[in-house]
Each structure stands twice: as C-alpha cells, then as structure tokens.
Amino acid sequence: MNRYVGYKEKNPFFFASFVKPVEDFSNTISAQNIISKLNEGNIFDFEYLPKEKDTLDISFNAKNRAEYKYFTIIFRDGIWQKGQNPHYVSVTENIARGEVKVTYKEENEFLKHVEHLKIKYGVEIPESIKVRCANLKDDSQDPIYLAIRNFKEYKTFYHPEFIKYITDKYFNEFHESENSNALQSLLDKAQNTFSLLEKKFISEKIDLSFINKCFNELNDKLECVFTSIPIKDDEYMIIDGRFYSKVIFSKGKRKTYFINKVKKINYEIFKLFKG
C-alpha cells in the first residue's frame, strides 16, 4: 500500500522497462474482485482510511521473475478503481504491507482431499491452485480441479541432464563394453517408482541403488526429475521441480546418442505450454 506524496520533475535521461500488469491471476484473485471487495468496506486487518491517490500493488510469485504477475489499483474520486499514479514523476511512501488471504467454505471437501494427498503421497498442491479450485461446485468440469479430485498416481519425467549424467557414469565407469539395453530397462522400470515422500526411487523388485546414487550426487545442483499430475491426454501439471504448477504436454520419446549409436537411451520429453 503506497500513499501519494507529491510530484517531481521527470529526468529526461532516465530509461527503464516495466513488466506489464495483468488483470487476473487465474486463481480467483483479480483486480476486479479486489476492487469490489474494497468498495464494499474495509477488508484490511488494521484501521485504514483511504486517501486520494493511494495505490495498492498486488503481486503473485514475486520470487520467480519468469512467473511474476502484478496489478495496481488506485483510490480516486472516492472509490477504488483500476489505475496507478504516473511513473517517474510520482513521489510515494509505503504505508502498509501484507498478504492476500482467501477464505474458504467451512469443511471444504476439496481442501481435505488436498491434505490427504500431501500426507499419503507427498503431493504439494500450490496455494494458487487451492484458491482456484476450493470453492468450485462439486460438478465443476474445470480440468485442474478434476485432475486433483480424480488423482490416482503421479507421473515422473526425467530431466535430460539427469539422463546424460546417468549414462555417462554407467558406461564410462562401470559398463564400458555393454550396449544400452540393460540401462534402458532400468530407467524405464524406475521412472514411476520415485517417491515424493522419501525423495528417492523405491522398488521391492528392482535394485535402484545406482539411480539413487546418481540422484543424490546431482540433486543439490539440478532438479533431476519433474513429478506431475495427469490432466488429460498428454497434458500434465508439474507439482515438483523448476516448472512448479505449470501445465506441460508430453512429446513422446526421444532417442539420444550419448556415446555412439549402440549406446543410446530413449526417454520421454515434454514441452511447457506457452502462456
């Protein structure tokens, strides 16, 4: 929350670029929603009387510039509305700072289900998705809502650099004379054994010590796997990893020659949805 103090002359030699504001975070938090609530009365947890040209800046995921979103609303002519004070020439001071909290219906079944997924599977549903889905009706056809409600198991994608590290280590240090069949079989069987709760590959039937060793050696430097919830067809929502909460689609298998045409590995690739 910023208060307008006054006007200053613009520096003719000052140039800057700004991220464009949005109107909706796609999780029920939008400029119009906040404006409506503010014009109904005080929704802050402290005493506050707005003054002309006060502005409220609301941002989402400010720690990640690639996903950073924000909008600004202004108190003008006695009401809150879309807009902001002019850049470069406005002098303002910060008067308050906090978080937007969304209230849910009592005994919310969706949130209870989300908590169950966290306890049983280690699946962490991001707050933005909770806000988007928690107050939807039981018969909602929202694809993200349905994917979480109908969740049975998650799908794991290997990071390409993790595959490269494994194959280099396997052939160069242990099995130089082999072809890639044994390693290919191991990688295929291990792909959906990764445990989010224990942060390792787990199987009672397969010895996964080699893959877990590689995972532990790389995990501090790289997100080795991307864990996702299937949405529909070849669409998945990432729930762990660098594209957290993004929707991606599988592009099938890619054949990669890491050393030569005999020592090759097929692994499933994916692409991030644009927008």
Side-chain angles (χ1 to χ4, degrees):
M1 176 75 71
N2 293 307
R3 177 144 291 164
Y4 181 78
V5 176
Y7 172 88
K8 65 178 178 181
E9 291 292 334
K10 180 180 177 181
N11 183 345
F13 301 105
F14 180 77
F15 298 94
S17 61
F18 291 92
V19 177
K20 290 184 178 180
V22 299
E23 293 191 5
D24 193 333
F25 291 162
S26 299
N27 60 6
T28 76
I29 297 178
S30 66
Q32 192 56 55
N33 186 299
I34 298 295
I35 288 171
S36 297
K37 295 292 184 183
L38 283 170
N39 284 328
E40 290 174 1
N42 183 29
I43 59 173
F44 300 103
D45 60 358
F46 60 93
E47 290 187 10
Y48 168 69
L49 184 64
K51 291 187 177 181
E52 185 74 4
K53 295 186 179 181
D54 277 2
T55 54
L56 182 61
D57 300 316
I58 299 179
S59 63
F60 172 71
N61 203 10
K63 294 181 180 179
N64 185 336
R65 182 170 177 80
E67 298 183 3
Y68 177 82
K69 298 177 183 178
Y70 82 98
F71 58 78
T72 300
I73 57 179
I74 187 169
F75 189 75
R76 182 182 291 142
D77 300 326
I79 61 169
W80 289 97
Q81 54 189 281
K82 297 177 186 177
Q84 57 191 344
N85 292 309
H87 288 301
Y88 309 122
V89 296
S90 298
V91 180
T92 61
E93 63 177 358
N94 182 259
I95 59 172
R97 188 180 300 271
E99 296 181 349
V100 176
K101 292 188 177 181
V102 179
T103 57
Y104 303 105
K105 299 173 184 176
E106 292 184 7
E107 296 298 318
N108 189 286
E109 292 299 320
F110 179 82
L111 293 181
K112 288 167 68 175
H113 177 66
V114 165
E115 187 62 24
H116 168 73
L117 296 183
K118 180 178 180 180
I119 294 170
K120 185 173 181 179
Y121 301 101
V123 172
E124 291 271 4
I125 302 299
E127 192 65 27
S128 60
I129 301 298
K130 292 179 189 177
V131 171
R132 169 178 171 170
C133 297
N135 289 329
L136 293 176
K137 295 181 179 179
D138 292 342
D139 60 355
S140 171
Q141 296 303 301
D142 181 280
I144 301 296
Y145 172 83
L146 290 174
I148 295 172
R149 284 301 301 263
N150 299 330
F151 172 86
K152 293 180 180 178
E153 61 182 3
Y154 48 74
K155 181 177 179 64
T156 301
F157 293 88
Y158 293 120
H159 190 289
E161 290 299 320
F162 184 44
I163 292 289
K164 185 177 188 311
Y165 185 82
I166 287 175
T167 53
D168 285 346
K169 192 176 186 68
Y170 184 86
F171 290 124
N172 293 335
E173 296 184 21
F174 305 111
H175 305 279
E176 187 174 352
S177 61
E178 286 189 13
N179 62 27
S180 56
N181 292 342
L183 179 59
Q184 182 72 68
S185 176
L186 181 63
L187 286 168
D188 290 343
K189 292 175 181 177
Q191 183 169 1
N192 289 320
T193 68
F194 187 75
S195 169
L196 277 170
L197 284 172
E198 300 190 40
K199 299 296 183 186
K200 65 179 181 180
F201 297 86
I202 298 175
S203 174
E204 295 180 357
K205 300 179 180 179
I206 313 166
D207 180 6
L208 301 176
S209 57
F210 171 68
I211 292 183
N212 278 319
K213 184 175 186 296
C214 294
F215 178 81
N216 291 330
E217 290 171 353
L218 267 186
N219 197 36
D220 289 339
K221 308 170 189 174
L222 175 77
E223 295 286 355
C224 296
V225 296
F226 300 109
T227 310
S228 64
I229 290 179
I231 300 176
K232 59 180 180 179
D233 299 328
D234 291 324
E235 294 181 21
Y236 302 86
M237 183 180 75
I238 294 293
I239 54 174
D240 185 61
R242 63 180 63 185
F243 297 139
Y244 187 67
S245 83
K246 284 286 189 180
V247 174
I248 62 172
F249 62 94
S250 170
K251 295 287 286 182
K253 291 234 175 178
R254 169 184 288 169
K255 183 183 295 184
T256 301
Y257 302 111
F258 285 97
I259 296 177
N260 55 48
K261 291 188 177 182
V262 175
K263 298 171 182 177
K264 60 183 182 293
I265 292 295
N266 296 326
Y267 65 95
E268 198 165 6
I269 63 171
F270 57 87
K271 185 175 181 181
L272 190 66
F273 268 124
K274 294 182 179 180

